[in-house]
Amino acid sequence: MRYAKRGRLRFTSHRDISRAVERAVRRAGIPVAYSAGFSPHPKISYAGAAPTGVASEAEYLELGVTKPCDPEQIRRGLDGSLPPGLDVLDVVEAGPGALADRLEVSEWEVRLPGADRELAEVAVGKFLAEGAVEVERLTKKGPRRFDAREAVLGLTVSEGADRTAAQVLGGPCVILRMVVRHMTPAVRPDDVLTGLRLVADFAPPVPPEVTRLAQGPLDASTGALADPLDLDRDTTRGGEAGPAGEHVAG
């Protein structure tokens, strides 16, 4: 299933979101499957979750159920049981293949209130001209250096940026659009902004507003993102049977 993380809910941690989903599943009466063992837990797995503080229109999870369910009923029940700002947008019965393997790239929108568009365009041009842009990020295992340029498939200053003036803080708001390949370690929008600062000394005056617009497989013929759930839309009802008759809604 695809869900959105909007408004103030973008500041919610992934752990809190998973707890909210588990409560909503119980409240909606969804026949969720549980793991075996001494501490059974609902079979809910998340794929490519956005960082805390980032909004998203394209978060994904897979939910194991004990019997075939109507996807639209699950969508309505779960959406009605979640707090506003966590919105279930699409549910399909899962077919063969792992959902996580289809999430190859993400498209991001980064709003930069108070930034100068000309400086942003110069910085983007310099970043794209580089063969590699090494950035450093503090991880759980300490500082780590990696190439932020390799993962960036597209980076543009939105054509609509010059029409968004005076919306935030009484000044201009530059909008960057970027398409980033999923790699290890993951390259995030803030890593790309660090790269722009390194190559062109471009630094927004206030923290950016980041939204993931889409994630999925990359269409080799068009270079556009495809819907990762499209492969499952025309499968027969019942999804892919798992152990002991378990089904999966994805």
Side-chain angles (χ1 to χ4, degrees):
M1 60 184 68
R2 177 169 69 97
Y3 67 97
K5 184 174 63 166
R6 297 165 171 161
R8 292 187 298 175
L9 268 296
R10 69 185 185 273
F11 298 111
T12 305
S13 70
H14 178 64
R15 178 175 295 183
D16 286 336
I17 287 176
S18 64
R19 289 172 177 167
V21 170
E22 288 183 19
R23 289 195 296 267
V25 165
R26 293 194 297 267
R27 191 176 298 121
I30 296 172
V32 62
Y34 280 80
S35 63
F38 292 104
S39 300
H41 58 274
K43 290 192 173 183
I44 305 173
S45 59
Y46 298 82
T52 302
V54 172
S56 178
E57 293 296 314
E59 299 297 282
Y60 290 90
L61 65 82
E62 290 182 288
L63 172 68
V65 290
T66 57
K67 62 182 181 180
C69 300
D70 178 66
E72 179 57 22
Q73 286 186 357
I74 286 185
R75 190 200 68 77
R76 289 198 303 265
L78 195 55
D79 186 58
S81 301
L82 284 167
L86 285 180
D87 304 315
V88 181
L89 306 177
D90 199 1
V91 177
V92 300
E93 294 184 47
L99 175 62
D101 292 341
R102 304 176 194 174
L103 305 181
E104 300 173 346
V105 294
S106 285
E107 181 182 3
W108 302 90
E109 178 185 88
V110 182
R111 298 177 65 88
L112 306 174
D116 183 275
R117 175 168 182 163
E118 291 186 3
L119 294 179
E121 290 176 337
V122 169
V124 165
K126 289 184 176 181
F127 180 90
L128 294 176
E130 295 287 336
V133 179
E134 283 202 351
V135 301
E136 185 175 285
R137 186 204 305 153
L138 184 63
T139 68
K140 294 180 180 179
K141 297 182 178 180
R144 182 168 186 179
R145 293 188 64 84
F146 53 92
D147 180 13
R149 174 64 185 90
E150 181 184 4
V152 178
L153 304 179
L155 177 60
T156 60
V157 179
S158 170
E159 293 180 358
D162 55 2
R163 295 194 296 271
T164 64
Q167 287 190 4
V168 182
L169 300 180
C173 179
V174 169
I175 299 176
L176 300 181
R177 288 288 184 91
M178 57 183 75
V179 178
V180 181
R181 187 185 300 276
H182 295 180
M183 301 179 65
T184 303
V187 175
R188 302 188 290 208
D190 56 310
D191 298 319
V192 178
L193 292 177
T194 299
L196 295 178
R197 177 175 55 81
L198 292 175
V199 301
D201 197 28
F202 175 73
V206 298
E209 302 168 11
V210 182
T211 302
R212 172 149 52 195
L213 303 177
Q215 61 173 324
L218 189 66
D219 189 321
S221 60
T222 65
L225 274 72
D227 186 339
L229 301 185
D230 275 349
L231 291 175
D232 299 320
R233 294 188 193 282
D234 297 326
T235 58
T236 57
R237 285 200 85 240
E240 181 184 15
E246 176 188 327
H247 290 72
V248 176

